[in-house]
Amino acid sequence: MHPSVVDRAQHGDTEAFESLAREAGGGLMGVAFRILRDPAAAEDAVQQTLVTAWRELPGLRDPERFDAWLYRILVRACTAEARRQGSRRSAVREVSPTALADTNAFGRIADVDELERGFRRLTPDQRAVVVLRYWRDLRQEEIAEVLDIPLGTVKSRLHHATAALRAALEAEARPAPIKERLA
Amino acid sequence: MTKRNLPGITEDELNETLHAWMDPGARSLSEPALARSMASVHATRQVPAWRTWRGMALALRTMRFAGITAAVVLIAAAALVLGTRSFRNPGVVGAPATTAAASPSPATVPTPSTPATSSPVVRATPAVTTEVLSGTVKATGATYDVRYAHVAGLADPAAAAAINKVLLDQADATVRDFTSGIGTDPQAGPDQPTVAQADFTVAYGSPDLLSLRITTYTMPSGAAHGSTVLTTYTFDAASGRRIGLVDLFLPGSGYMDALVTEARAQLRATLSDWVSDSAGADWLTTGTAPTADNYAAWAITPGGLEITFSQYQVAPYAAGMPVVTIPATHLAGLIDPTGPLTPIAAIPLPSVTVTLGIYSGRPDPAWTLTDVQVAALVGQLDSLPVATGTAPQDGLGYHGFTILVQRAGQPDQGLMAYRGAVSGPGDAPGTYRADAPRAIESALLDTGRPRLAAAEVAMVEADLARQ
């Protein structure tokens, strides 16, 4: 993300902004989809993000931090979208067919369905932290900057989220009770 | 060294698992989505830096230093909050069109909006039949199925010919755009077919007036969701001339302001989930601003003036294509006395009481609709296609909505809406009105939500989810 392009966009250059949007679009969709688990909702969130970013871009003081700023807007849009989904939607969600097919990638412990269910039980804030950590490969300090929250909050959310996902996987991997095994 | 945290799953294994689960399947922002976003960007004004919170904070520090009073700060803050912030999203994508096999034949089905006597609406004319243009783009396998209206039975055959030419041109253009555009997408294949469908409903039909809604749906290969466009046509059935929105009102009446006020009031109520924050409120305000484009998809129904807003126009995709129906009586004083809305405004809307059939042995919940709700219901009922067969019977638990329609000086009329069928004593034998999306039941449930218990709502929602 070249700072001069951000600077041009800040001064109303829509072509410059389109090149920024094109460059960031894939990453934004990746994060939004992984948080929301619904391609249409993800697209809505990204669209909302781009429009909000354009509108408020003149207020960004440091063009070097455009990426972090953009993802902060995205996570807020995803949180709002998830809230709306919760109150309105009961649509069928998409589960990555690649993930379902490639179960070997998860070794002996993985069960995609359990992970999917466990992930859906997380709050949108927790999901965002998990996605930024495990998909964007951001360090905890970087996550704190992106989300504009204290480092301790990042650690706490990550801890609770991974504990919940671990519990989901453990439940699946746990041997059946003796009575069931004997039956 | 592997860090073991719990029996069975190590910390490293958990990390590896989460990375692997997150990794598959790169996502990209589709070109149509990017184009829609940029269309919104082009329609959105940037907030000047001094009006952002950061700019305000800087200004505040400066003002403090300069000793400027807090009153000035408050005025500036008010300017920030109240200043115009445009948030327009004019895309037109949406859910698939509901397709009906045949055009509605309301001649055989009296509706609550159509009194047996004194109505100017003679349902036998014009006769509207369905024509179809369908085919496949050989190179890609993309298919199209465009159903359009053909009008006959008007007093002046030249008027019918003029109307039919407009409707055929619209259908031809839909096919031409599709076969020369996304229908040639080389990615299209049997797994992700590219399709175009169009269908229509009659919003109002009389010897003097014909109002049609045409829904065109396209699904490009690989898109997250398809695109729906609603186009409306209203014709003077006597001359074949297309009627514009402006033709409904008196010159200089300021009708647009009235439409904006009515539309915003209704949308704020029905889209409350989406307009609760400032961005959502801005979105709605911009999408309902008094421009001809924003109110282009209008139709006349027996309930009044129906305006449909496209996907993304006033709210996100998930909100669908919101519809408002403004009772003609709300526009009294503005409408042209010689125009097509006048006879509709002359017929008072009926009183409608809805009863939710859900209990056995105790009273079912019942409520009376507002005039806006009645106007919308009347328009919906009038557009339902007639189906042959037997309407579904009552079941245990939720067993349908009873709609009691009462008009002064006329016998009461009762209708039943249940499992996608609307039936009543006025139906021809062996027929009912089909409502496959169960839109009538959903709309009636929405009107009752403020009065119904959560368990009652949940029971109906569970049944509606079976569609």
Side-chain angles (χ1 to χ4, degrees), chain A residues 9-15 17-18 21-22 25-27 29-30 33-34 37 39-40 43-44 46-48 50-61 69 72 80-81 83-84 87-90 94 96 98-99 102 105-106 108-110 112 115-116 119 127 130-131 133-135 137 162-163 165-166 169-170 173, chain B residues 4-11 13-34 36-38 40-42 44-49 52 54 58 61 85-89 91 223-225 269-280 282-283 312 316-319 446 465:
Chain A
Q10 282 189 295
H11 289 86
D13 184 338
T14 52
E15 284 184 17
F17 186 78
E18 183 167 355
R22 198 173 285 281
M29 268 301 287
F33 172 72
R34 282 164 178 80
R37 324 303 297 169
E43 214 168 82
D44 280 346
V46 171
Q47 196 163 343
Q48 174 97 29
L50 291 176
V51 177
T52 303
W54 165 255
R55 194 176 57 198
E56 297 179 0
L57 195 52
L60 175 67
R61 294 183 72 185
W69 177 77
R72 186 180 311 153
E81 189 62 35
R83 201 166 48 237
R84 287 167 188 143
S87 63
R88 279 275 177 169
R89 286 192 171 192
S90 57
E94 178 180 328
S96 164
T98 317
D102 190 15
F106 302 103
R108 66 184 176 82
I109 60 167
V112 175
L115 206 47
E116 187 73 29
F119 190 78
R127 292 186 199 181
V130 171
V131 171
R133 173 71 189 87
Y134 291 100
W135 190 64
D137 275 328
T162 52
L165 293 173
R166 175 191 294 280
L169 291 169
E170 293 269 349
Chain B
R4 187 161 288 277
N5 199 332
L6 282 173
I9 301 176
T10 68
E11 191 70 23
E13 284 171 335
L14 180 65
N15 286 339
E16 185 188 344
T17 300
L18 289 173
H19 270 112
W21 180 62
M22 288 279 172
D23 190 46
R27 289 264 153 197
S28 61
L29 185 61
S30 66
E31 280 299 320
L34 180 64
R36 283 195 299 275
S37 301
M38 288 310 300
S40 302
V41 162
H42 283 288
T44 301
R45 206 177 308 158
Q46 287 188 317
V47 180
T52 62
R54 195 184 300 278
L58 190 64
R61 282 200 293 274
R85 282 202 281 167
S86 173
F87 188 65
R88 172 87 194 278
N89 198 333
H225 47 63
T270 56
L271 302 177
S272 56
D273 279 3
W274 282 280
V275 300
S276 55
D277 57 17
S278 63
D282 283 353
W283 197 333
Y312 292 106
Y317 173 81
D446 283 343

Side-chain angles (χ1 to χ4, degrees), chain B residues 14-326:
Chain B
L14 180 65
N15 286 339
E16 185 188 344
T17 300
L18 289 173
H19 270 112
W21 180 62
M22 288 279 172
D23 190 46
R27 289 264 153 197
S28 61
L29 185 61
S30 66
E31 280 299 320
L34 180 64
R36 283 195 299 275
S37 301
M38 288 310 300
S40 302
V41 162
H42 283 288
T44 301
R45 206 177 308 158
Q46 287 188 317
V47 180
W50 66 268
R51 278 176 53 194
T52 62
W53 290 113
R54 195 184 300 278
M56 285 296 296
L58 190 64
L60 183 58
R61 282 200 293 274
T62 308
M63 286 175 186
R64 275 188 188 144
F65 182 76
I68 296 176
T69 63
V72 177
V73 178
L74 288 173
I75 291 168
L80 171 65
V81 172
L82 299 175
T84 53
R85 282 202 281 167
S86 173
F87 188 65
R88 172 87 194 278
N89 198 333
V92 287
V93 295
T98 304
T99 56
S103 63
S105 306
T108 56
V109 185
T111 70
S113 64
T114 310
T117 57
S118 81
S119 167
V121 182
V122 181
R123 311 304 290 174
T125 56
V128 181
T129 54
T130 304
E131 302 282 335
V132 182
L133 296 173
S134 63
T136 303
V137 181
K138 281 188 180 172
T140 61
T143 60
Y144 58 90
D145 183 281
V146 175
R147 295 167 184 238
Y148 63 99
H150 181 86
V151 179
L154 299 184
D156 181 358
I163 293 171
N164 287 330
K165 181 177 185 315
V166 171
L167 298 175
L168 178 58
D169 284 351
Q170 153 92 17
D172 275 341
T174 301
V175 173
R176 193 168 55 247
D177 290 349
F178 179 69
T179 53
S180 63
I182 64 168
T184 59
D185 180 357
Q187 292 180 35
D191 295 336
Q192 288 185 305
T194 300
V195 297
Q197 296 167 342
D199 208 347
F200 71 92
T201 55
V202 179
Y204 194 95
S206 80
D208 303 316
L209 189 70
L210 178 66
S211 194
L212 300 168
R213 316 175 188 94
I214 298 172
T215 308
T216 306
Y217 167 72
T218 53
M219 178 68 189
S221 172
H225 47 63
S227 304
T228 300
V229 178
L230 184 83
T231 314
T232 55
Y233 288 92
T234 298
F235 297 100
D236 176 342
S239 68
R241 184 180 67 88
R242 190 174 177 190
I243 296 173
L245 185 60
V246 68
D247 298 328
L248 308 183
F249 299 97
L250 287 166
S253 63
Y255 70 90
M256 189 56 93
D257 291 339
L259 301 190
V260 170
T261 303
E262 289 273 352
R264 285 180 179 166
Q266 290 191 35
L267 292 172
R268 281 180 185 132
T270 56
L271 302 177
S272 56
D273 279 3
W274 282 280
V275 300
S276 55
D277 57 17
S278 63
D282 283 353
W283 197 333
L284 189 149
T285 301
T286 308
T288 54
T291 68
D293 279 353
N294 281 343
Y295 295 84
W298 63 272
I300 292 177
T301 78
L305 181 62
E306 177 188 274
I307 300 161
T308 303
F309 297 91
S310 60
Q311 282 279 1
Y312 292 106
Q313 183 177 341
V314 293
Y317 173 81
M321 295 201 296
V323 179
V324 301
T325 303
I326 303 172

